[in-house]
Amino acid sequence: MSISASTFLYLTVFTLTCFFTYKAEKKIDLHINTKKKSAKRLAILYSFIALFVPSLLAGMRADTVGKDVLEYAIRTFDLANTSSFIETFKLTTEPFGYALLAYITSLFADDAGAFLFTSQVMVIVPIYLIAYKYRSVTPMWQTMLAYMFLFYNNSFNVMKQSVSAVFILLFYIYMNEQKYRKMLACFIVAFSFHFSAVFGLVFIFIVKFLNGKKNKETKITFIVTVILMLVNLRSISRLLLALSLLPEKYAKNIEAVFSSDTNVYLRIKGFNKHVFFDWVYRFLLLLLPLRTIKKIRPDFDKNIRLLPVLGFAFYTYVLLLFNTIYGIRISLYCDMFTILTVPMFAYRFKRKKIEDKIKVNAFIIGFMGLYWFVWVMLYGWSGSNHYIFR
């Protein structure tokens, strides 16, 4: 499909997802206030449609839509589809959770499209649950819209890590609710899909420490320690590999980042206007909502406010020092929290009149939509800009 046709298709799916999310939230509120069973049934129906539509599009895509589909998704599903349970896990090189999802899917379908569908379900269902939990702060449809514009296409490519990052976000939500069993379950799922979930956990505890009741000297010492660890990341990765504490492929990835002779993931040579656009827009997606939150909702969770900052700092660190945007893979665990901060930019405007609400919503859609269109559709990030049906 052409860029224009693909753009129309994606925007149609985004619109349907947000529309049925909006309808579901209205019925949820109605059920809470009136206890009407019909409202509850409609809320479930609308929620199902809101989740099914984007998952279906993910499952109906060709194997070339998303750079990593042919890299590991099809191979993993084909192995699971032609092997026994024991053989699947003996022969696969993929994480346990991802291989298990492939095997379970293969029991019900022979086409890899079903696996691409279930992979998206594993991402979007937790996102919807998070939107539901934060609906008193931000309308559910705006949280879903932020996910669709900022992360949906990326999940076509970064499939395993998208699941991992979403469950780390859910892990944090349950941490706030002090639901420790659910916290553990979320981390197990996240880790079983991607080893880098450990980084997500580290980021969360870093911001909790910085926002905790510690004296300035302790915080400064901690920050210096983290900086020293980053500077000596190469030596640390080698030590962890020698102690068999870090999987070899991750150690090699880290090693490659430091070696300018290695053709590491998205190595940048000279000025790259695509990456510059991404960096500037990421800065805006960070700065504008946080300034709004500070003025209008100063009581909003400080950890959620700081995590995107930490992710942006890490992304910038890897970009400037090693000329690669490989850091975007790790910063994803922090970036995912922006689905809870970016929509709050709407608080900056008064919305008493219907005209004001339309203007504010149009601005938010345009603000995120411009980033999505340029970065994903024009620059081809994630390799899903040209949609092709199976």
Side-chain angles (χ1 to χ4, degrees):
M1 296 177 67
S2 65
I3 290 295
S4 57
S6 299
T7 300
F8 177 78
L9 177 62
Y10 282 126
L11 290 180
T12 299
V13 170
F14 293 1
T15 301
L16 290 173
T17 300
C18 293
F19 173 75
F20 282 104
T21 299
Y22 171 81
K23 296 286 287 184
E25 185 174 11
K26 290 296 183 182
K27 295 302 177 181
I28 290 170
D29 293 337
L30 180 61
H31 172 68
I32 292 174
N33 294 328
T34 66
K35 304 300 179 182
K36 288 184 178 180
K37 292 184 179 179
S38 59
K40 182 179 180 179
R41 287 194 293 267
L42 284 173
I44 294 173
L45 174 62
Y46 292 147
S47 296
F48 174 80
I49 297 173
L51 296 170
F52 180 75
V53 171
S55 299
L56 181 64
L57 185 67
M60 292 177 63
R61 74 187 193 267
D63 297 343
T64 54
V65 181
K67 296 177 181 178
D68 283 350
V69 176
L70 290 174
E71 183 70 22
Y72 60 77
I74 302 302
R75 169 172 50 83
T76 304
F77 181 79
D78 288 344
L79 173 63
N81 199 31
T82 56
S83 306
S84 66
F85 182 82
I86 301 298
E87 290 174 336
T88 298
F89 295 99
K90 184 178 180 180
L91 298 174
T92 188
T93 58
E94 299 303 325
F96 176 83
Y98 192 69
L100 179 61
L101 182 65
Y103 180 79
I104 293 174
T105 305
S106 70
L107 297 177
F108 302 96
D110 294 327
D111 191 283
F115 182 43
L116 300 178
F117 172 86
T118 54
S119 295
Q120 184 60 222
V121 169
M122 288 292 294
V123 178
I124 204 163
V125 170
I127 290 290
Y128 196 81
L129 176 60
I130 292 165
Y132 172 80
K133 287 178 174 293
Y134 274 79
R135 71 188 189 281
S136 62
V137 179
T138 305
M140 288 178 62
W141 74 267
Q142 289 186 5
T143 302
M144 292 300 293
L145 182 69
Y147 165 72
M148 301 303 287
F149 272 138
L150 303 181
F151 299 105
Y152 178 70
N153 286 84
N154 191 48
S155 70
F156 279 23
N157 177 34
V158 188
M159 291 166 283
K160 295 177 293 185
Q161 201 170 357
S162 291
V163 176
S164 182
V166 167
F167 273 89
I168 287 296
L169 175 55
L170 194 57
F171 168 92
Y172 176 78
I173 305 301
Y174 285 132
M175 177 186 288
N176 282 349
E177 296 176 353
Q178 296 184 335
K179 296 180 179 178
Y180 301 113
R181 291 181 180 178
K182 290 184 177 181
M183 279 175 55
L184 179 61
C186 285
F187 180 72
I188 290 173
V189 173
F191 186 80
S192 71
F193 271 79
H194 211 279
F195 173 82
S196 61
V198 173
F199 290 103
L201 207 62
V202 170
F203 286 139
I204 287 174
F205 285 113
I206 285 176
V207 297
K208 283 185 71 68
F209 179 86
L210 293 177
N211 284 324
K213 295 180 179 179
K214 305 289 190 301
N215 58 54
K216 291 184 178 180
E217 291 75 14
T218 302
K219 291 183 177 182
I220 292 173
T221 301
F222 179 77
I223 293 173
V224 171
T225 302
V226 171
I227 293 174
L228 289 175
M229 290 179 65
L230 287 173
V231 172
N232 292 283
L233 193 57
R234 188 178 196 177
S235 300
I236 293 172
S237 66
R238 287 176 173 177
L239 176 62
L240 293 175
L241 180 61
L243 297 174
S244 299
L245 296 176
L246 185 67
E248 185 176 358
K249 74 172 185 177
Y250 295 108
K252 288 182 177 179
N253 286 341
I254 295 173
E255 180 71 20
V257 168
F258 289 95
S259 177
S260 59
D261 298 328
T262 305
N263 187 25
V264 73
Y265 180 69
L266 288 179
R267 177 81 70 188
I268 299 170
K269 296 181 180 179
F271 177 76
N272 187 309
K273 62 180 181 180
H274 303 174
V275 175
F276 180 73
F277 168 84
D278 178 56
W279 189 91
V280 170
Y281 225 103
R282 281 173 176 268
F283 179 71
L284 293 176
L285 288 168
L286 180 74
L287 177 66
L288 297 180
L290 292 186
R291 285 181 61 86
T292 299
I293 294 170
K294 185 177 180 180
K295 288 183 178 180
I296 300 174
R297 292 294 300 267
D299 59 332
F300 187 69
D301 192 325
K302 291 183 179 180
N303 296 327
I304 291 179
R305 290 154 57 181
L306 184 56
L307 276 161
V309 176
L310 186 61
F312 180 76
F314 184 84
Y315 170 73
T316 304
Y317 164 78
V318 175
L319 176 63
L320 295 180
L321 267 68
F322 311 115
N323 298 322
T324 174
I325 59 172
Y326 188 82
I328 201 171
R329 288 296 186 100
I330 302 302
S331 70
L332 179 63
Y333 291 98
C334 296
D335 299 338
M336 193 64 72
F337 283 82
T338 57
I339 68 170
L340 298 176
T341 59
V342 171
M344 293 185 70
F345 186 57
Y347 280 93
R348 195 174 190 87
F349 306 93
K350 294 180 179 180
R351 296 180 293 173
K352 293 182 180 180
K353 299 180 181 179
I354 185 65
E355 294 85 354
D356 294 333
K357 292 182 180 180
I358 293 174
K359 290 178 182 178
V360 171
N361 291 334
F363 177 82
I364 293 175
I365 293 171
F367 182 59
M368 291 188 289
L370 178 62
Y371 174 72
W372 169 80
F373 180 71
V374 175
W375 182 237
V376 175
M377 301 308 294
L378 295 185
Y379 289 157
W381 176 252
S382 80
S384 60
N385 51 341
H386 290 279
Y387 189 88
I388 304 172
F389 287 99
R390 297 190 72 78

